[in-house]
Amino acid sequence: MALSMVSETKIGLGLITCDRPEGCQKALGSLPWSRLLSVVLVNDGPAETLAKANIESAWPLQIIQNESRLGVGRSKNRAIKKLLASGVDHFFLMEDDIFIKNPSVFDRYLEAARSTGIQHLNFSQHGLKNKNAKGVSSPVAVVSYGNFQIALHRHCVGALSYYSRTCLEAVGLMDEEFYNGGEHLEHTYRIICAGFHPPFWFFADVYHSEDLLGDEPWSPVQSIIASRHRQSDLIDKSEIIFAARHGCTIGNIPVVQKREVLQCLEKIRRKFGGGCSQAKQAVITWQSQPFCGGMGNTFLARLFGTRKQARPTY
């Protein structure tokens, strides 16, 4: 997609930070500011910690300071509300351990949405879950739309997410009953049920997104959320909430057959990808990894892997 096609778009970014001033400063300093109509920073930690980030006065930034720790989902909702009011059409939510490597990143995600019709994408390469033992991206499938490709991954990672206005207005905000455990996963599930994204277990991202975005090396200590006391209890509570909302646990959501994935992708392309004159029919290349195995029965397994594995962040 030519730059002239995306230069007229209204892009907004919500950056969520908590107790990580160095990461916040690095994230802000990496942004291609000229591509962003509105940038909202939500601080879920103390104001004195944010002050250490040395935010430049030249940055056109709106800062929301939470009076108490609201958690990542509620903080993201505050950012979304502010961005909706500012009139943006394309929304990116980013956490403070992500940074921009390539200034064309937002245009690439918009090209993905327009080429495929998919209205919600998640950066897949934060943490360990969508990588092989060598740390290389390991998608379930690569989908080609003419010259543009996306990847489908088993794990839904919420450190950077894209949403169209159409998607958010139809589905709404994150469920604030969740607290630092599964908000983005449940939100993506509702987006899937509304027909804006491929089936569950086939989470969409730009192919080779690791060339566009970087992240701080993940560990349970590095992750502000995973390192906190009683985090497992919060995840268990999230699983109960999810089951009450949707009548099933995460592990009971079926893995659909390959044929159904392709049918869903084509339905989304025909419905939402028509605005791009070069939108092509999807062609899927399946990767060599188990199709139905290892899905996990709990939120804890889905967000962090099995209880014997290191827990990747979300």
Side-chain angles (χ1 to χ4, degrees), residues 57-263:
S57 59
W59 289 336
L61 182 67
Q62 301 178 72
I63 299 177
I64 299 175
Q65 174 63 53
N66 292 342
E67 294 182 1
S68 60
R69 292 190 189 272
L70 299 181
V72 64
R74 294 172 187 175
S75 295
K76 287 181 177 180
N77 279 350
R78 296 195 77 183
I80 293 171
K81 290 176 183 177
K82 182 68 72 172
L83 293 171
L84 282 167
S86 71
V88 305
D89 296 319
H90 302 279
F91 300 73
F92 289 87
L93 295 179
M94 177 170 155
E95 297 177 9
D96 60 6
D97 47 3
I98 301 294
F99 57 90
I100 306 300
K101 293 169 66 175
N102 187 321
S104 70
V105 57
F106 300 126
D107 295 335
R108 290 288 302 280
Y109 272 86
L110 265 60
E111 184 178 4
R114 287 175 171 169
S115 297
T116 68
I118 297 170
Q119 302 294 290
H120 171 51
L121 300 120
N122 290 293
F123 174 51
S124 59
Q125 297 304 294
H126 182 51
L128 309 175
K129 292 303 294 180
N130 290 315
K131 301 174 182 177
N132 62 22
K134 296 181 179 180
V136 177
S137 177
S138 181
V140 176
V142 176
V143 189
S144 298
Y145 295 80
N147 293 327
F148 195 86
Q149 294 175 304
I150 64 166
L152 301 179
H153 290 271
R154 275 287 181 253
H155 302 272
C156 182
V157 187
L160 183 135
S161 301
Y162 162 76
Y163 308 84
S164 69
R165 175 176 281 268
T166 299
C167 172
L168 288 175
E169 288 182 341
V171 176
L173 304 177
M174 296 187 186
D175 189 332
E176 296 192 355
E177 287 297 308
F178 293 86
Y179 182 81
N180 286 353
E183 299 96 331
H184 75 276
L185 186 60
E186 193 273 343
H187 196 220
T188 295
Y189 181 67
R190 283 190 280 129
I191 290 169
I192 291 168
C193 292
F196 294 107
H197 182 284
F200 207 81
W201 311 122
F202 299 91
F203 300 108
D205 188 19
V206 172
Y207 190 41
H208 288 315
S209 59
E210 66 273 16
D211 295 335
L212 305 173
L213 295 157
D215 67 338
E216 301 302 328
W218 193 92
S219 72
V221 175
Q222 173 268 344
S223 172
I224 296 295
I225 292 176
S227 63
R228 284 181 175 160
H229 180 58
R230 298 182 66 243
Q231 183 61 24
S232 294
D233 291 341
L234 292 174
I235 298 298
D236 289 341
K237 181 180 178 181
S238 294
E239 186 175 5
I240 294 170
I241 297 171
F242 187 96
R245 294 282 191 273
H246 301 292
C248 65
T249 63
I250 287 290
N252 287 330
I253 298 173
V255 181
V256 303
Q257 297 300 309
K258 296 179 182 180
R259 179 186 68 257
E260 295 177 63
V261 176
L262 182 58
Q263 289 173 345

